[in-house]
């Protein structure tokens, strides 16, 4: 995705390590799940042969990932949900960020909604636009559909139906300036998977199918494997939507979001706002409205930041059952 925009101040809220899990509600109230009580008796020391490496609790990994990103010049917010257990964790999940190409999810949701209620049946031309818009993040396709569906009015309509309490329409009228949060993006995916909007299983499956067919490169040639795809190499079923643009107050915007596993058990959203970084000290920034950033060094640095966040969260390359950890 390549568009300029404006920014809000962005702060990261680190999740306390005392929370083993939380459950998101429609208003994103965080409900703490108490840590299970431990036995007061000290456990016997294991023998050397029985000693195995352990992975820190996910709360600690989240703290580590956000801190490491900050060291690279990035403010990162994230939210992750295990749909099977209801365990939900976030760091700065309600911090606003420009949506970039994540708005394309909202455009598609509106298309399926209007088709489901019979107000605007999907045409073959719609499908020809929606496929590259979702799979390859095609901006031209998004521009056409955005105009056809009423522009900024799409966002409050979708937000109301999906319970997105912090997602707002772009004041500029440009879809890439829509503001959202990591928590709202998780809520959106849950709404899609649970058919909160009543579009039916066939439309939901088609929508998810486009996300599962995401291409390695965007239509503009930008590498869209950062974050979830590159960070979880041993998760072989992914449905992802990525977003990127530069610059917002001289910062890169990158988002990596999606559903993971064949049963769509896990939902993850990572959003990053990173200072433009050139190791050789070069000045300037890659305005993606006018320049090709596919080979830009600062873009690579920013993509790697998001990938490193996912790798720190799940160092095995697959999502672990963090709710079972003590």
């Amino acid at each position: 995705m390549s568009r300029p925009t404006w920014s809000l101040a962005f702060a990261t809220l680190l999740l306390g390590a005392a929370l083993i899990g939380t459950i998101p509600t429609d208003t994103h109230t965080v409900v703490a799940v108490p840590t299970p009580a431990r036995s007061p008796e000290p456990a016997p020391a294991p023998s050397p042969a029985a000693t195995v490496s352990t992975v820190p609790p996910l709360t600690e990994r989240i703290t580590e990932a956000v801190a490491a990103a900050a060291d690279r010049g990035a403010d990162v917010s994230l939210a992750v949900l295990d749909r099977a257990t209801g365990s939900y964790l976030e760091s700065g999940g309600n911090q606003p960020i420009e949506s970039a190409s994540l708005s394309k999810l909202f455009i598609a949701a509106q298309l399926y909604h209007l088709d489901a209620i019979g107000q605007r049946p999907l045409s073959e031309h719609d499908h020809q636009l929606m496929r590259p818009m979702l799979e390859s993040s095609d901006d031209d396709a998004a521009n056409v559909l955005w105009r056809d569906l009423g522009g900024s009015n799409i966002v409050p309509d979708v937000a109301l139906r999906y319970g997105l309490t912090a997602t707002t329409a772009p004041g500029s009228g440009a879809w890439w300036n829509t503001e959202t949060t990591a928590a709202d993006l998780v809520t959106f995916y849950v709404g899609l998977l649970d058919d909160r909007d009543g579009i039916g299983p066939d439309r939901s499956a088609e929508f998810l199918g486009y996300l599962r067919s995401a291409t390695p490169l965007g239509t503009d040639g930008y590498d869209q494997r950062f974050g979830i795809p590159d960070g979880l190499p041993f998760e072989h079923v992914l449905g992802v939507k990525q977003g990127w643009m530069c610059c917002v107050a001289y910062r890169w915007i990158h988002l990596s979001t999606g559903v993971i596993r064949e049963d769509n058990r896990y939902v993850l959203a990572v959003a990053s706002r990173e200072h433009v970084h050139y190791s050789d000290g070069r000045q300037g920034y890659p305005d993606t409205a006018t320049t090709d950033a596919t080979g830009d060094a600062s873009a690579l640095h920013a993509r790697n930041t998001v990938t490193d966040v996912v790798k720190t969260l799940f160092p095995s390359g697959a999502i672990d059952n963090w709710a079972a950890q003590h």
Side-chain angles (χ1 to χ4, degrees):
M1 186 298 155
S2 53
R3 294 286 188 255
T5 184
W6 50 275
S7 73
L8 291 177
F10 189 80
T12 301
L13 173 63
L14 298 183
L15 183 67
L19 297 183
I20 287 297
T22 56
I23 302 172
T25 68
D26 287 347
T27 59
H28 297 302
T29 300
V30 177
V31 182
V33 177
T35 302
R38 298 178 184 271
S39 170
E41 296 296 327
S47 65
T51 300
V52 295
S53 61
T54 59
V55 176
L58 183 54
T59 51
E60 294 181 17
R61 286 177 267 157
I62 289 174
T63 300
E64 179 186 351
V66 172
D71 288 342
R72 292 172 62 86
D75 291 329
V76 166
S77 58
L78 62 91
V80 60
L81 172 69
D82 181 343
R83 295 175 63 236
T85 66
S87 179
Y88 171 83
L89 294 173
E90 67 172 46
S91 174
N94 287 318
Q95 294 298 323
I97 189 168
E98 293 79 11
S99 65
S101 285
L102 271 296
S103 292
K104 294 166 184 173
L105 293 174
F106 306 148
I107 295 172
Q110 190 78 336
L111 281 168
Y112 284 116
H113 170 77
L114 295 176
D115 182 59
I117 65 175
Q119 184 173 329
R120 185 187 182 282
L122 276 169
S123 67
E124 182 59 33
H125 183 58
D126 291 331
H127 284 288
Q128 290 173 355
L129 292 171
M130 188 158 48
R131 178 183 294 275
M133 180 183 73
L134 294 177
E135 293 181 353
S136 305
S137 208
D138 188 282
D139 289 351
D140 291 337
N143 290 336
V144 172
L145 292 171
W146 178 260
R147 289 194 300 267
D148 286 353
L149 296 176
S152 295
N153 291 331
I154 295 169
V155 178
D157 287 352
V158 173
L160 179 63
R161 296 197 306 272
Y162 281 82
L164 312 182
T165 59
T167 297
T168 57
S172 66
W175 48 263
W176 53 90
N177 282 344
T178 296
E179 283 198 350
T180 190
T181 66
D184 265 10
L185 291 169
V186 168
T187 298
F188 175 82
Y189 282 115
V190 172
L192 173 62
L193 296 171
D194 293 345
D195 197 15
R196 177 169 182 156
D197 196 18
I199 64 175
D202 291 342
R203 294 181 186 86
S204 297
E206 182 177 276
F207 195 162
L208 183 60
Y210 288 139
L211 302 181
R212 286 183 171 177
S213 299
T215 57
L217 301 180
T219 301
D220 62 359
Y222 197 81
D223 187 343
Q224 61 171 1
R225 293 169 294 187
F226 63 90
I228 293 173
D230 279 348
L232 297 174
F234 298 114
E235 294 288 0
H236 302 299
V237 180
L238 304 171
V240 297
K241 185 71 197 78
Q242 312 281 70
W244 61 88
M245 63 182 179
C246 193
C247 290
V248 180
Y250 306 103
R251 286 181 161 196
W252 271 102
I253 300 293
H254 281 87
L255 303 100
S256 181
T257 73
V259 295
I260 300 155
R261 300 220 175 144
E262 187 172 2
D263 60 357
N264 306 311
R265 175 172 176 173
Y266 299 106
V267 183
L268 175 60
V270 179
S272 174
R273 191 192 302 272
E274 180 174 313
H275 290 289
V276 174
H277 174 87
Y278 293 108
S279 59
D280 61 3
R282 179 162 61 93
Q283 300 299 309
Y285 65 95
D287 183 348
T288 52
T290 59
T291 61
D292 179 2
T294 55
D296 184 82
S298 71
L300 175 60
H301 190 275
R303 291 196 303 271
N304 287 344
T305 296
V306 180
T307 300
D308 288 348
V309 166
V310 177
K311 288 181 176 179
T312 301
L313 296 181
F314 304 108
S316 70
I319 295 186
D320 56 65
N321 184 12
W322 74 79
Q325 296 175 343
H326 299 291

